[in-house]
């Protein structure tokens, strides 16, 4: 594999992509379609905002940018309009592409690009200062923030993308006979890594936006004889509810899981149920900042290391550090997990001007996770340094969530754990305390009851409004979050007034 994955001509007549509309396209045809997309970009090096579906159109647009030196910024197709406006205003892309529908079977798309123009919902952004050119090493922009729409993006290079695709193909032992199905979105680093690593080996990628909970997904899976499936913890929770391990899927050869911690008992259940059928199960660990993957548990070791994130990918290396930067060399000693490898990103961006900056990480990533390693040098995550959680494999900044909800008039404190966002909605004012010496006798109760009932109704209305906002803005199923109400004085705080998040979690959401 001495070619880059975007050098599609290496696999010529092999089938590259097939979608659930019945269309298919060879590697040679995909190269031509990618080049046709890029030919419409009149600037020699453009920033292109792509709203992504798992479709031939979007994969070709992404590859067209890589093949011709343009920089794609990948976002979800269903990103909330206001959040899309915020990101667009910060980065002022040269072109925007959002496919509205798929082309009929047998027809290739005709691309319609638009130039960025501020909308009424776009926030006011100061003019870009300094050089707004794109750095020569910059190849791709991805978000780490799920659906919170944070303008903070990860800057990735061609070396980042190619090295990680190569490592993944190597440890998964991928070859041209693979037929992976797209169970994750293209704009998500894990889902994108599935595309990149399989293009590298000349495999046939089965494209769909269907969910694993839909019968049509499994009809397509069986019809096209999919060989592998990638999922986040929430995916596997749903699969277990569907009695996935009992399904007749003779073409399935490989399962992979990343995007957060999957309960070790569930790992054992899946691995033990599928091993007799020759299905390999890989548990992996990664971050967008490392392009996608940093580690994996070899399938043969999974039964012995069910709670581990495994060992580093072939070109990577892990160390643990104390808070003052000293390396930890003793097993079962917790420290900050640090990763080094060619897939470590160039750095972050918050606005268009940041896209002119080069590599500030130099191959070293402090993951923000706390971990230890055992006697076999297998690593285990035990906690995090910062305030974010992962929902359906995507990272959600709890601070960003609070800010977005505040913009809509909700005073909240957000906490949670992987796979559940916990929102404490603070009442507008604390409940009035009775005057000193006031009796709480039965005679006074009837006068207070109507007022209390009205407060309860108002509270229920606010909770219903907040639920609707969370569903519409963050695109979260109701099982992925819970909302409780409390007066501000009920929030546990320390002596300097800082919220004690662990105590809050235990008090309201245990």
């Amino acid at each position: 594999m001495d070619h880059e994955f975007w050098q599609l001509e290496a696999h010529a007549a092999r089938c590259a992509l097939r979608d659930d509309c019945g269309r298919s396209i060879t590697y040679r045809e995909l190269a031509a379609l990618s080049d046709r997309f890029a030919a419409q970009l009149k600037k020699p090096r453009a920033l292109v905002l792509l709203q992504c579906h798992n479709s031939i159109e979007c994969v070709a647009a992404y590859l067209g940018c890589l093949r011709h030196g343009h920089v794609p910024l990948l976002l979800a197709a269903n990103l909330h309009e206001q959040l899309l406006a915020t990101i667009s205003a910060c980065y002022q892309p040269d072109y925007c592409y959002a496919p509205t529908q798929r082309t009929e079977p047998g027809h290739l798309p005709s691309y319609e690009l638009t130039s960025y123009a501020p909308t009424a919902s776009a926030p006011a952004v100061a003019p870009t200062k300094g050089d707004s050119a794109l750095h020569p090493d910059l190849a791709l922009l991805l978000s780490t923030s799920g659906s919170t729409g944070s303008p903070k993006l990860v800057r990735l290079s061609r070396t980042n993308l190619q090295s990680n695709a190569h490592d993944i193909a190597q440890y998964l032992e991928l070859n041209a006979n693979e037929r992976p199905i797209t169970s994750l979105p293209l704009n998500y680093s894990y889902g994108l890594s599935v595309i990149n690593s399989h293009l590298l080996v000349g495999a046939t990628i089965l494209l769909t936006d269907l969910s694993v909970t839909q019968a049509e997904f499994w009809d397509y899976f069986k019809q096209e004889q999919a060989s592998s499936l990638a999922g986040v913890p929430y995916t596997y929770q749903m699969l277990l509810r569907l009695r996935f391990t009992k399904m007749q899927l003779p073409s399935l050869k490989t399962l992979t899981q990343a995007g957060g911690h999957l309960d070790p008992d569930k790992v054992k259940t899946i691995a033990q149920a599928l091993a007799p059928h020759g299905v390999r199960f890989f548990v992996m660990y990664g971050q967008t900042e490392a392009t996608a993957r940093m580690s994996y548990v070899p399938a043969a070791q999974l039964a012995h290391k069910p709670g581990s994130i495994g060992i580093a990918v072939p070109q990577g290396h892990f160390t643990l550090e104390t808070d003052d930067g000293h390396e930890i060399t003793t097993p079962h000693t917790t420290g900050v997990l640090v990763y080094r490898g060619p897939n470590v990103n160039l750095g972050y961006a918050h606005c268009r001007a940041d896209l002119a900056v080069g590599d500030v990480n130099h191959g070293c990533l402090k993951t923000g996770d706390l971990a230890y390693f055992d006697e076999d040098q297998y690593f285990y995550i035990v906690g995090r340094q910062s305030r974010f959680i992962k929902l359906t494999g995507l990272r959600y900044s709890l601070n960003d969530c609070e800010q977005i909800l505040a913009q809509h008039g909700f005073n909240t404190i957000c906490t949670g754990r992987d796979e559940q966002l916990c929102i404490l909605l603070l009442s507008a004012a604390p409940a009035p305390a009775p005057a000193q010496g006031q009796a709480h006798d039965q005679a006074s109760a009837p006068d207070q009851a109507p007022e209390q009932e009205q407060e309860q109704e108002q509270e229920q209305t606010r909770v219903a409004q907040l639920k609707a906002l969370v569903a519409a803005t963050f695109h979260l199923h109701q099982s992925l979050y819970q909302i409780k109400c409390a007066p501000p004085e009920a929030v546990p705080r320390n002596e300097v007034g800082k919220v004690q998040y662990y105590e809050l979690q235990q008090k309201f959401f245990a």
Side-chain angles (χ1 to χ4, degrees):
M1 294 182 291
D2 55 356
H3 64 278
E4 285 81 11
F5 66 82
W6 55 86
Q7 293 177 327
L8 304 166
E9 294 84 355
H11 305 293
R14 291 192 60 83
C15 180
L17 307 175
R18 185 164 175 80
D19 69 14
D20 54 10
C21 293
R23 298 182 300 165
S24 61
I25 187 170
T26 67
Y27 277 83
R28 183 182 294 114
E29 290 169 336
L30 180 57
L33 183 59
S34 300
D35 293 345
R36 191 172 70 175
F37 174 84
Q40 296 181 93
L41 309 178
K42 302 308 179 184
K43 294 187 64 172
R45 187 158 158 76
L47 176 62
V48 185
L49 189 155
L50 300 177
Q51 289 187 262
C52 298
H53 297 285
N54 287 334
S55 66
I56 291 174
E57 291 87 345
C58 288
V59 174
Y62 159 66
L63 292 170
C65 289
L66 291 185
R67 286 166 64 85
H68 292 272
H70 304 292
V71 178
L73 191 174
L74 306 187
L75 296 175
N78 64 349
L79 189 64
H80 191 277
E81 181 180 351
Q82 183 176 352
L83 306 181
L84 175 63
T86 298
I87 294 176
S88 298
C90 287
Y91 290 95
Q92 301 172 15
D94 300 300
Y95 299 95
C96 303
Y97 174 60
T100 55
Q101 60 183 8
R102 295 183 177 185
T103 309
E104 291 299 316
H107 295 81
L108 294 178
S110 58
Y111 288 108
E112 294 184 8
L113 291 165
T114 59
S115 297
Y116 166 70
T119 64
S121 58
V125 176
T128 301
K129 296 179 180 179
D131 186 4
S132 62
L134 306 177
H135 191 276
D137 292 339
L138 181 63
L140 175 67
L141 293 168
L142 291 178
S143 172
T144 67
S145 63
S147 295
T148 61
S150 168
K152 181 180 180 181
L153 301 178
V154 171
R155 299 183 290 114
L156 297 167
S157 70
R158 277 178 165 70
T159 298
N160 296 155
L161 295 169
Q162 175 65 12
S163 64
N164 210 224
H166 184 279
D167 278 358
I168 293 168
Q170 181 177 335
Y171 73 72
L172 291 181
E173 300 177 334
L174 301 181
N175 59 56
N177 296 321
E178 306 291 339
R179 294 176 70 84
I181 191 167
T182 56
S183 48
L184 298 166
L186 176 66
N187 58 285
Y188 172 36
S189 61
Y190 183 10
L192 187 63
S193 74
V194 173
I195 301 290
N196 295 345
S197 58
H198 285 87
L199 288 175
L200 181 65
V201 300
T204 298
I205 300 168
L206 307 176
L207 298 171
T208 182
D209 282 319
L210 292 168
S211 166
V212 296
T213 60
Q214 296 176 267
E216 294 85 354
F217 177 91
W218 298 107
D219 291 340
Y220 180 56
F221 187 104
K222 294 173 184 178
Q223 173 189 323
E224 295 297 336
Q225 299 184 338
S227 62
S228 64
L229 175 69
V232 298
Y234 184 65
T235 308
Y236 285 98
Q237 291 168 16
M238 291 189 291
L239 289 176
L240 289 172
R241 294 193 193 104
L242 294 170
R243 300 184 181 276
F244 165 75
T245 56
K246 303 295 184 182
M247 291 183 185
Q248 297 299 313
L249 302 170
S251 64
L252 179 62
K253 303 301 179 187
T254 306
L255 291 174
T256 63
Q257 182 269 313
H261 178 72
L262 181 61
D263 183 81
D265 289 337
K266 290 184 173 64
V267 171
K268 289 181 180 179
T269 296
I270 296 168
Q272 291 172 357
L274 297 179
H277 302 284
V279 179
R280 305 177 304 162
F281 186 26
F282 289 86
V283 172
M284 310 180 298
Y285 164 75
Q287 293 181 1
T288 305
E289 289 86 345
T291 307
R293 304 276 68 80
M294 287 183 277
S295 73
Y296 69 103
V297 181
Q301 295 297 319
L302 197 57
H304 309 292
K305 311 283 187 180
S308 175
I309 62 166
I311 56 178
V313 298
Q315 298 180 75
H317 178 68
F318 280 129
T319 57
L320 291 180
E321 293 183 357
T322 61
D323 290 338
D324 55 3
H326 291 90
E327 184 175 349
I328 294 172
T329 57
T330 306
H332 300 283
T333 303
T334 299
V336 179
L337 185 63
V338 179
Y339 174 83
R340 291 175 174 82
N343 53 317
V344 173
N345 70 314
L346 303 174
Y348 292 114
H350 297 85
C351 64
R352 176 82 187 218
D354 293 339
L355 306 186
V357 179
D359 186 1
V360 298
N361 287 328
H362 306 293
C364 180
L365 174 64
K366 292 189 176 181
T367 67
D369 287 320
L370 304 175
Y372 70 88
F373 57 83
D374 64 15
E375 291 79 3
D376 299 320
Q377 296 294 303
Y378 277 66
F379 285 78
Y380 297 77
I381 302 292
V382 298
R384 290 199 179 106
Q385 289 183 303
S386 57
R387 275 192 13 99
F388 68 84
I389 59 174
K390 284 191 173 181
L391 300 172
T392 63
L394 300 176
R395 188 184 309 176
Y396 284 72
S397 164
L398 296 171
N399 291 334
D400 284 352
C401 290
E402 290 175 358
Q403 291 173 10
I404 290 171
L405 298 179
Q407 291 170 2
H408 292 269
F410 292 97
N411 185 13
T412 65
I413 296 176
C414 293
T415 180
R417 50 193 175 273
D418 280 359
E419 299 309 316
Q420 187 167 65
L421 172 63
C422 298
I423 304 172
L424 186 66
L425 175 60
L426 302 181
S427 56
Q436 187 171 2
Q438 179 179 345
H440 289 273
D441 54 25
Q442 294 182 352
S444 63
D447 295 332
Q448 295 177 4
E451 191 173 314
Q452 292 173 349
E453 289 177 3
Q454 185 179 10
E455 290 175 356
Q456 290 176 353
E457 289 176 1
Q458 290 175 345
E459 183 177 280
Q460 291 172 358
T461 299
R462 292 283 286 168
V463 169
Q465 292 171 339
L466 181 55
K467 284 183 178 179
L469 176 63
V470 171
T473 305
F474 300 154
H475 302 290
L476 293 179
H477 186 270
Q478 60 184 6
S479 64
L480 294 177
Y481 65 91
Q482 58 174 314
I483 299 172
K484 297 289 181 67
C485 294
E489 67 270 18
V491 176
R493 299 177 183 271
N494 65 10
E495 63 278 1
V496 296
K498 290 188 176 181
V499 175
Q500 301 297 283
Y501 292 101
Y502 176 79
E503 288 81 358
L504 183 144
Q505 179 84 26
Q506 295 302 308
K507 182 176 180 178
F508 294 102
F509 301 100

